[in-house]
């Protein structure tokens, strides 16, 4: 029986649009393609989320990947909050889940710098949730089992009583291997339908 609904943040509760934001900052399309390949697609960005490095150490790591684009990397880094904004349905959805009797938790790969830059506006739904674990806090990232263990330990959750929603199939596979139910998030309406298949009925 599902008692707890655990939600990812990026592309589930908030937009994550680094390429669009770099374009708005005046960075050329050619440069954006290089930065995307060397930083986002390569997995380097995961080290910001992992939280083992300080913010300054991670920024230096990123610059080392593309030293010829140091100015552009710093420009994006200092304006990262522009790439992250809350979807309009988020608070209503969380409130509806809680009204239906479920506990709602947040579990996200999220770096300290991003958190500090976005906590007051894009992440202000956190006050609606019953708890949250961010990767930078526990020095673990999805889909590793350790981060699922971390949220279960922090809030005394049983994996079999949890369903996890994330936009990345690999993270859902990690949750399922840990013993949770999992749903690949493709949009709010699809998520509501998939939750209903698990006998989790949410009225919006």
């Amino acid at each position: 029986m599902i008692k707890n609904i655990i939600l990812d943040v990026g592309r589930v509760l908030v937009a994550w649009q680094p390429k669009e934001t770099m374009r708005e900052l005046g960075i050329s399309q050619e440069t954006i393609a290089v930065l995307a390949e060397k930083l986002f697609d390569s997995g380097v960005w995961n080290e910001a989320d992992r939280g083992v490095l300080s913010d300054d150490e991670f920024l230096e790591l990123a610059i080392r990947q593309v030293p010829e684009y140091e100015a552009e990397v710093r420009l994006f880094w200092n304006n990262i909050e522009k790439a992250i904004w809350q979807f309009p349905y988020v608070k209503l959805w969380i409130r509806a889940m809680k009204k239906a009797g479920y506990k709602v938790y947040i579990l996200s790969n999220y770096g300290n710098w991003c958190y500090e830059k976005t906590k007051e506006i894009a992440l202000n739904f956190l006050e609606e949730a019953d708890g949250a674990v961010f990767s930078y806090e526990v020095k673990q990232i999805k889909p590793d089992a350790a981060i699922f263990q971390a949220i279960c330990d922090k809030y005394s959750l049983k994996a079999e009583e949890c369903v996890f929603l994330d936009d990345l199939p690999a993270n859902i596979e990690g949750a399922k291997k840990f013993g949770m139910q999992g749903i690949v998030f493709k949009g709010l309406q699809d998520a509501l339908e998939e939750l209903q298949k698990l006998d989790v009925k949410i009225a919006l």
Side-chain angles (χ1 to χ4, degrees):
M1 179 180 175
I2 300 299
K3 297 181 179 179
N4 311 296
I5 301 172
I6 305 176
L7 305 171
D8 176 37
V9 172
R11 298 194 174 102
V12 176
L13 303 179
V14 305
W16 167 234
Q17 298 184 316
K19 295 179 183 178
E20 292 84 347
T21 299
M22 285 189 279
R23 193 176 301 117
E24 291 172 3
L25 291 170
I27 299 174
S28 72
Q29 192 60 43
E30 292 77 14
T31 300
I32 291 171
V34 173
L35 297 181
E37 177 188 355
K38 299 293 186 180
L39 299 181
F40 303 113
D41 299 340
S42 69
V44 169
W45 199 261
N46 288 342
E47 296 312 307
D49 293 341
R50 196 184 302 275
V52 175
L53 303 176
S54 71
D55 294 334
D56 288 342
E57 287 171 337
F58 171 75
L59 181 57
E60 292 306 315
L61 169 66
I63 290 169
R64 286 200 301 273
Q65 311 308 308
V66 284
E68 65 274 33
Y69 298 114
E70 177 176 353
E72 289 84 353
V73 172
R74 289 186 182 277
L75 178 63
F76 175 69
W77 183 247
N78 288 322
N79 289 277
I80 198 166
E81 72 277 6
K82 296 178 180 178
I84 301 169
W85 46 270
Q86 186 181 136
F87 294 134
Y89 57 76
V90 171
K91 289 185 180 180
L92 290 174
W93 189 25
I94 292 176
R95 290 168 188 166
M97 288 186 278
K98 295 187 68 174
K99 186 177 181 180
Y102 299 97
K103 294 285 189 178
V104 180
Y105 299 95
I106 307 300
L107 180 64
S108 178
N109 287 354
Y110 215 89
N112 177 70
W113 179 260
C114 287
Y115 179 80
E116 292 299 327
K117 298 274 275 186
T118 60
K119 63 183 179 181
E120 292 183 4
I121 300 177
L123 301 185
N124 65 14
F125 58 80
L126 290 172
E127 62 193 23
E128 305 280 348
D130 293 290
V133 168
F134 290 97
S135 58
Y136 79 89
E137 298 173 308
V138 295
K139 309 298 188 269
Q140 302 287 344
I141 60 173
K142 299 173 293 182
D144 295 344
I147 196 167
F148 296 107
Q149 187 67 59
I151 195 168
C152 286
D153 289 347
K154 185 174 182 178
Y155 297 108
S156 300
L157 308 180
K158 296 179 180 179
E160 64 271 18
E161 295 177 348
C162 299
V163 57
F164 178 55
L165 290 84
D166 193 295
D167 65 304
L168 296 178
N171 293 342
I172 294 303
E173 285 304 309
K176 288 181 176 179
K177 287 180 181 178
F178 186 74
M180 296 179 178
Q181 296 287 342
I183 294 171
V184 177
F185 186 85
K186 300 175 182 176
L188 179 59
Q189 188 57 45
D190 181 79
L192 292 172
E193 292 170 3
E194 291 300 316
L195 284 167
Q196 192 161 17
K197 293 177 184 178
L198 298 174
D199 203 30
V200 175
K201 296 179 176 64
I202 309 298
L204 277 178

